Amino acid sequence: MNTIMKTYQCAVCGFVYHETKGMPNEGIPAGTRWEDVPDTWVCPDCGVCRADFEMVEI
């Protein structure tokens, strides 16, 4: 199993989702993998869907 946590960035506004941090205020606990974020989730800054995010290395 891959234990490396990844980071994803919104291609529209640049918002960054860190798997290590999650988004507890939105019900996504720290450590939640990107593939486990609900399909209905949208970027909190610009409202685009998950498909508009890309994995990035920071």
Side-chain angles (χ1 to χ4, degrees):
M1 180 175 177
N2 185 358
T3 59
I4 297 173
M5 300 301 267
K6 298 176 183 172
T7 303
Y8 293 81
Q9 185 173 30
C10 178
V12 175
C13 73
F15 175 83
V16 176
Y17 174 80
H18 300 272
E19 290 181 334
T20 55
K21 297 178 183 178
M23 296 192 67
N25 293 342
E26 293 198 22
I28 302 171
T32 300
R33 301 278 184 190
W34 183 245
E35 58 266 15
D36 296 327
V37 173
D39 290 334
T40 56
W41 183 83
V42 296
C43 177
D45 286 352
C46 71
V48 299
C49 65
R50 285 184 46 213
D52 290 313
F53 277 70
E54 300 170 347
M55 188 178 62
V56 294
E57 292 189 30
I58 294 179

